[in-house]
Amino acid sequence: MENYFEPVFTAGQLQAISSIGLAHMGDAVFEILVRTWLCAHGKATGRGLHQAAVRLVRAESQAEKAERILPLLTEEEQAVFRRGRNAQVRTVPSHASRAQYAEATALEALFGWLYLQGRRERINQLFRIMMEE
């Protein structure tokens, strides 16, 4: 691979990545989107900016926001979401239920999968819907 900043994986390469691996990538993608959204909307400054980001990337918030986009997912995206939700995670944060954590992991896996395919516009479309107030 020559460009790690804008990677594009084939279907076979993506299938070889574990659902936890996809979620790991998607966690970073979601974090960048949230930070950009906060800066663009002037939601907070300084320490408040970090606290606002943490509130939005917590499993409970991700699970709630994932519910908004579920009806809009294609069959292929739903399959990736299910794959992420069924990931075998060993620990769950004390502030989230197992179900919330599974939904958050599924969302992150979906965003990681879309990112590694180079489907930035689809990620942006779903994220905008998730962040509608």
Side-chain angles (χ1 to χ4, degrees):
M1 180 175 300
E2 293 184 25
N3 185 350
Y4 288 94
F5 191 67
E6 293 181 356
V8 177
F9 284 66
T10 66
Q13 290 171 318
L14 281 171
Q15 191 61 36
I17 299 172
S18 72
S19 52
I20 297 296
L22 292 175
H24 177 72
M25 187 78 243
D27 178 55
V29 171
F30 193 76
E31 176 87 21
I32 274 192
L33 291 167
V34 164
R35 287 175 180 226
T36 303
W37 185 84
L38 288 169
C39 287
H41 289 84
K43 294 290 185 182
T45 58
R47 184 175 180 185
L49 190 59
H50 174 73
Q51 291 170 340
V54 168
R55 277 192 304 277
L56 289 169
V57 300
R58 289 173 65 119
E60 310 94 276
S61 176
Q62 285 182 335
E64 175 217 323
K65 292 184 181 319
E67 292 298 317
R68 296 179 187 181
I69 63 167
L70 285 178
L72 308 173
L73 300 181
T74 65
E75 286 183 31
E76 191 177 28
E77 291 167 346
Q78 289 174 13
V80 172
F81 192 89
R82 278 191 305 275
R83 181 178 162 202
R85 188 174 49 218
N86 294 332
Q88 298 300 315
V89 293
R90 289 190 165 74
T91 58
V92 175
S94 60
H95 55 79
S97 70
R98 183 166 288 284
Q100 288 172 323
Y101 196 68
E103 290 287 306
T105 302
L107 176 66
E108 291 172 348
L110 174 62
F111 274 37
W113 179 78
L114 288 168
Y115 176 78
L116 293 174
Q117 281 188 316
R119 297 182 55 200
R120 310 303 189 270
E121 184 53 40
R122 180 61 171 158
I123 295 169
N124 195 46
Q125 178 185 40
L126 295 173
F127 184 76
R128 281 194 319 261
I129 293 165
M130 290 171 58
M131 299 306 288
E132 288 175 354
E133 294 179 353

